[in-house]
Amino acid sequence: MSFRNSSIAAICLLLAAGAAAAYAPPDDANSVANPSNWPSASTPEAITSPNTEKQIDALLRRMSLEQKVGQLIQADISAIKPADLKKYPLGSILAGGNSGPYGDERASAAKWKQLTGEFRTASRRAGAGIPILFGIDAVHGHSNLPEATIFPHNIGLGATRDVDLIRRIGEATAAEISGSGIEWTFAPTLAVPQDLRWGRTYEGYSSDPELIASYAKAMTLGLQGELVSGKPLDAKRVAATAKHFLADGGTAEGRDQGDAQISESELIAKHAAGYPASINAGALTVMASFSSWNGVKHHGNKSLLTDVLKGRMGFDGLVVGDWNGHGQVAGCSATDCPAAINAGLDLFMAPDSWKALFGSTLAAARDGRIPKARIDDAVRRIIRVKFKLGLMGNVQTRRGDTSLVGKKEHLELAREAVSKSLVLLKNDAKILPIRRGARVLIAGSGAENMAMQSGGWTISWQGTDTTAADFANGQTIGRAISEAVKANGGAAAFSASGTFATKPDVAVVVVGEKPYAEFEGDVPHLAFQPQPDETEMIARFRAQGIPVVVIFLSGRPMFTGKLINQADAFVAAWLPGTQGRGVADVLVAGADGKTSRDFTGRLPFAWPADARSPLIAPLFPVGYGLDYTRPGRLAPVNEDPRVDMSALTVATHYVIRGKVPAPWNLQMDGSISTRAVDLAAQEDARQFTWNADGTFVINGPAVDLSKQLEDGGTMLIDWRIDRPANGPVTISFGGGTLDFEAVIRGVTPGTATQTRIPLRCFAEAGAKFAAVGSPIRMQAPKGLVATIRHVHIETSKEHAPCPGKAR
């Protein structure tokens, strides 16, 4: 599932560099699929039974049109209360990536159980008495819950090449989801990422369609178990979701929610492999992709949703949309989209748009724009899934054994998965394993950082606020290595700066990407840019004769040429989750000189030789990986990214979809709170609330913007004033400050607008354009609430007046 968003450095560069090259479609490109070209599949007959279908027939006969339409709509817990179901008999409820029970993002399993129970009870008492279906994103374990078992993200699992492991992880994840009273997960992701710039690459197991197919079957069976005719799923099992149909990993330039500009034959060969396998294994649900195929959004592509998926592939479960994804269909909005249902969508995911969507869908059903037969088919599919989950009838399957969450056996399984996911790319002079009795210095921004090692979709959507305190049953990588070293007679110390009193025998430096999920993870190129102090620290270790082991945390292979050359050993650890001991099991030797486990992980994607994407010629191919029996020496590798890195240091884009892109950073005092919100699309803006008089500043490296001034540049602010301030407001650029109070008061509250400020106004106020290190500084009094989507410099021929006097 996709859940709200902010940021994109990729868009920053694309906008700065100009429009992308025009798309030249393949000879057979179109957006209408020919079902006969596609692989066939079939949902097992055991998904239902004659008796179940008779009961559904009876329900359909007595349900009102309002009740049927309600079944087609899913709302998010942040925007609906159980009491609302009395008037709006919705069929499903979800909890998005930033939604928690009663507003608590860190709620316990017991609170989740309580909330789902309240919705379930309310739904049974309303309308036709059909219970709601509750779904959640449990994409690497039940990752919304503190103390749950967090497994490596899919990219790490792809490195294990262990089908049995995948099935066991599915079983454990299902048990923990069930333990919180929930019966449906939006997983597995069956994307086959082709461009590593995509911010959701880590949600894909591999670029190899065959591996995806084998994992699709294993994970579906792990989550659901084998379907048995006439019987519901076991209480410790949950419904799986094969997603995102289709080619979410095949969009041009790796753009999230983008367009797969490919032929039908490539669409099938590269991106369809996981779906027949999952459907044949009994997947109860499939999620449509936000993305498009040759310009047509999947939420509205009947040839794919109906003719291919439900027809050729014989899928008899329900098709659910993604977060307001129906609103991107041509002619639709988030609150009105008959076209999506007619195309084959069964269940709208309408987190915050559900109420208006209910009204418009009901109107379309009444006037025949959505045929009665299509409505009945969608409702039948939804209720069929509810029967299979044991939600229907007088005796329902009881879920909610909270003791299953964070179970010891599950944690040990996660530890095993971590060990098997590690890929050794370099081990010169057999620096690894770390010998018994060694003195070890542990450093790097990722050493004691649970957020970095767990990645996005952990506690929160982007995962940036995850801490070790959220998982007392886990260990950071640094802590796990330290404990293992000490347990084997050695000494270990942490040092953020790399300083030490006693020279260590080896330094373990943990570095990598900061957490992200979709949108925020999209990047313009594959160059990893470590923090300057980390690069200098590693160089200092080398100069002091200290061997360096680099543990690299990332959601994708990245260009790390200099880092690989600096390191004596280099380990791709992906996003391993909370069980850091799995890393120590492979790196630290015991009394016999051997580790508990050897390196068995192999690259699920090719590793880039430079920062270009798609890859021209990889440094390491898919399937590459060393182990202790094959250490191998690595000759110096290329350190030239072969892309224009200067665009990052002359950025003229300061806020993109509510996020501040590199090289800029947002700084605020404690008087201002922020949150991601929806302005025109899912979480495409950030709301700033002044709880007291205060200032926010966007800072970064000083850049020369003299040319932008000379060219008549204008600062564009794409925003909405939610509540005006009572008092002076100022805005500054490069040291020049303007009175902004009149602008604020001139904007209609609650209405999106664009404000343009000529750069000459700031120049007249004293801004120094030769070295701009603070392109935005906004000071306001308590009470101002503003939602900002974009801020950037554009070239304008208009001669707009200055908004206020220089201050």
Side-chain angles (χ1 to χ4, degrees):
M1 184 188 114
S2 166
F3 177 81
R4 310 182 177 180
N5 156 340
S6 358
S7 170
I8 317 180
I11 291 180
C12 176
L13 280 188
L14 289 168
L15 291 173
Y23 162 53
D27 293 338
D28 60 344
N30 61 68
S31 56
V32 178
N34 180 351
S36 64
N37 294 335
W38 291 70
S40 61
S42 180
T43 294
E45 292 183 1
I47 191 176
T48 188
S49 69
N51 182 53
T52 295
E53 294 304 311
K54 287 180 182 179
Q55 292 183 71
I56 296 175
D57 289 339
L59 278 169
L60 289 173
R61 284 193 294 270
R62 68 179 177 83
M63 290 174 72
S64 68
L65 187 59
E66 289 83 357
Q67 290 165 353
K68 290 179 179 180
V69 167
Q71 288 297 305
L72 311 186
I73 297 175
Q74 180 186 67
D76 186 77
I77 60 172
S78 65
I80 190 170
K81 291 179 170 55
D84 292 325
L85 296 179
K86 185 174 183 179
K87 182 176 181 180
Y88 301 94
L90 303 193
S92 183
I93 302 295
L94 83 147
N98 282 344
S99 298
Y102 318 107
D104 182 2
E105 199 172 65
R106 286 171 164 76
S108 66
K111 281 190 176 180
W112 281 97
K113 177 183 176 181
Q114 178 183 339
L115 180 73
T116 56
E118 290 171 356
F119 274 109
R120 199 103 55 208
T121 299
S123 62
R124 288 197 180 103
R125 292 174 177 171
I130 299 172
I132 55 97
L133 181 63
F134 198 104
I136 196 166
D137 285 287
V139 297
H140 65 134
H142 197 5
S143 48
N144 293 268
L145 269 68
E147 303 306 318
T149 304
I150 306 301
F151 294 95
H153 267 294
N154 286 353
I155 190 170
L157 298 183
T160 71
R161 298 178 177 266
D162 189 332
V163 174
D164 176 68
L165 175 68
I166 299 307
R167 181 163 180 165
R168 288 185 286 139
I169 288 174
E171 292 172 356
T173 300
E176 299 204 9
I177 297 168
S178 170
S180 61
I182 298 172
E183 67 279 352
W184 183 18
T185 177
F186 303 131
T189 296
L190 303 180
V192 189
Q194 299 297 300
D195 192 320
L196 299 175
R197 291 176 291 183
W198 187 36
R200 305 189 77 164
T201 294
Y202 66 78
E203 294 186 53
Y205 295 113
S206 174
S207 60
D208 178 5
E210 290 187 14
L211 183 64
I212 301 296
S214 65
Y215 274 24
K217 175 182 178 181
M219 183 57 78
T220 300
L221 290 173
L223 290 167
Q224 296 186 172
E226 298 272 0
L227 300 188
V228 179
S229 182
K231 292 184 178 181
L233 300 191
D234 183 84
K236 294 181 182 178
R237 305 286 188 161
V238 300
T241 306
K243 70 176 190 181
H244 308 85
F245 192 83
L246 186 65
D248 47 339
T251 61
E253 299 177 344
R255 295 183 187 179
D256 195 60
Q257 302 187 19
D259 189 24
Q261 300 167 351
I262 56 179
S263 67
E264 183 176 15
S265 58
E266 184 176 348
L267 183 68
I268 296 168
K270 288 186 177 178
H271 300 285
Y275 293 92
S278 186
I279 291 169
N280 287 336
L284 295 179
T285 76
V286 170
M287 183 181 289
S289 176
F290 271 123
S291 59
S292 310
W293 174 41
N294 290 323
V296 176
K297 286 291 181 179
H298 290 306
H299 278 67
N301 193 322
K302 185 176 181 180
S303 72
L304 287 174
L305 295 183
T306 297
D307 300 341
V308 170
L309 180 59
K310 295 179 176 180
R312 179 67 171 171
M313 293 187 181
F315 177 63
D316 290 332
L318 72 85
V319 178
V320 63
D322 209 335
W323 190 277
N324 280 333
H326 56 275
Q328 298 184 20
V329 174
C332 289
S333 69
T335 57
D336 188 4
C337 193
I341 297 295
N342 289 335
L345 196 73
D346 300 312
L347 181 61
F348 287 116
M349 186 181 287
D352 52 359
S353 59
W354 62 270
K355 189 177 292 185
L357 184 64
F358 175 84
S360 67
T361 305
L362 181 59
R366 284 173 172 162
D367 65 23
R369 282 176 290 153
I370 305 177
K372 178 180 182 298
R374 175 75 273 266
I375 293 172
D376 282 356
D377 174 62
V379 174
R380 178 180 296 276
R381 288 168 177 272
I382 292 166
I383 297 178
R384 180 183 291 150
V385 170
K386 292 180 179 183
F387 266 105
K388 203 62 189 175
L389 287 167
L391 301 177
M392 304 293 291
N394 295 324
V395 180
Q396 296 92 35
T397 299
R398 299 189 66 177
R399 294 178 174 85
D401 180 358
T402 57
S403 68
L404 295 171
V405 178
K407 193 175 179 181
K408 181 180 179 181
E409 291 84 352
H410 300 165
L411 298 172
E412 286 301 312
L413 178 61
R415 180 175 180 174
E416 174 189 345
V418 172
S419 295
K420 290 182 174 180
S421 71
L422 305 179
V423 180
L424 181 62
L425 298 181
K426 180 181 181 180
N427 192 19
D428 284 4
K430 296 185 179 180
I431 295 302
L432 289 176
I434 299 170
R435 63 176 175 78
R436 177 177 173 82
R439 293 187 302 274
V440 180
L441 180 66
I442 302 169
S445 56
E448 285 288 275
N449 194 317
M450 189 62 80
M452 281 181 64
Q453 71 184 60
S454 298
W457 295 107
T458 311
I459 301 298
S460 62
W461 177 41
Q462 295 292 328
T464 54
D465 60 347
T466 305
T467 69
D470 292 317
F471 299 100
N473 55 11
Q475 318 83 35
T476 61
I477 292 172
R479 173 188 156 194
I481 292 175
S482 175
E483 290 176 349
V485 168
K486 293 175 181 177
N488 286 287
F494 291 94
S495 174
S497 62
T499 57
F500 51 83
T502 303
K503 183 178 178 180
D505 297 314
V506 62
V508 177
V509 182
V510 188
V511 297
E513 292 187 291
K514 298 297 187 285
Y516 57 80
E518 63 231 81
F519 286 126
E520 296 202 19
D522 286 3
V523 293
H525 53 68
L526 299 179
F528 172 67
Q529 296 175 292
Q531 298 177 19
D533 58 339
E534 291 178 331
T535 301
E536 295 167 1
M537 177 175 62
I538 295 172
R540 189 169 66 250
F541 289 152
R542 293 298 301 271
Q544 294 169 321
I546 302 170
V548 176
V549 176
V550 169
I551 298 176
F552 187 62
L553 302 172
S554 70
R556 61 192 134 212
M558 301 197 75
F559 172 60
T560 51
K562 183 175 182 179
L563 202 56
I564 290 175
N565 285 338
Q566 286 183 311
D568 296 280
F570 190 97
V571 179
W574 315 113
L575 301 171
T578 58
Q579 301 305 301
R581 286 178 182 147
V583 177
D585 288 342
V586 183
L587 267 67
V588 182
D592 60 357
K594 297 181 179 180
T595 57
S596 301
R597 294 182 181 273
D598 197 349
F599 284 97
T600 57
R602 300 294 180 260
L603 289 179
F605 296 87
W607 197 275
D610 55 42
R612 295 174 292 180
S613 186
L615 306 189
I616 307 301
L619 177 61
F620 303 115
V622 172
Y624 179 86
L626 303 174
D627 54 48
Y628 289 136
T629 66
R630 301 179 301 123
R633 292 192 64 86
L634 182 67
V637 302
N638 169 56
E639 295 188 7
D640 182 358
R642 298 181 180 131
V643 297
D644 181 10
M645 302 290 288
S646 63
L648 287 176
T649 57
V650 294
T652 54
H653 293 71
Y654 312 118
V655 180
I656 301 173
R657 296 182 65 92
K659 194 71 176 180
V660 177
W664 308 107
N665 61 82
L666 175 65
Q667 297 178 351
M668 298 183 294
D669 54 32
S671 62
I672 304 173
S673 59
T674 74
R675 66 187 184 100
V677 297
D678 298 357
L679 189 59
Q682 73 169 75
E683 212 162 90
D684 64 338
R686 186 159 295 274
Q687 187 178 75
F688 294 80
T689 300
W690 273 258
N691 303 304
D693 295 358
T695 304
F696 82 73
V697 184
I698 293 179
N699 287 326
V703 294
D704 187 351
L705 297 176
S706 301
K707 188 176 188 304
Q708 282 73 17
L709 174 64
E710 294 169 2
D711 291 343
T714 297
M715 175 188 284
L716 170 69
I717 306 176
D718 184 0
W719 64 338
R720 180 184 68 204
I721 299 300
D722 300 301
R723 186 173 67 206
N726 294 315
V729 180
T730 62
I731 187 167
S732 305
F733 179 95
T737 301
L738 301 173
D739 188 333
F740 214 45
E741 184 176 358
V743 172
I744 299 291
R745 294 193 173 281
V747 172
T748 301
T751 301
T753 189
Q754 292 186 338
T755 300
R756 288 176 169 82
I757 308 172
L759 294 184
R760 60 178 169 77
C761 302
F762 292 111
E764 292 167 2
K768 306 300 181 183
F769 279 79
V772 177
S774 296
I776 300 177
R777 183 179 186 275
M778 189 169 176
Q779 186 170 7
K782 177 182 179 179
L784 177 65
V785 181
T787 295
I788 301 176
R789 177 164 46 187
H790 300 298
V791 180
H792 64 263
I793 293 174
E794 64 177 13
T795 300
S796 175
K797 295 182 180 180
E798 299 180 8
H799 297 285
C802 294
K805 295 181 179 180
R807 297 290 295 271

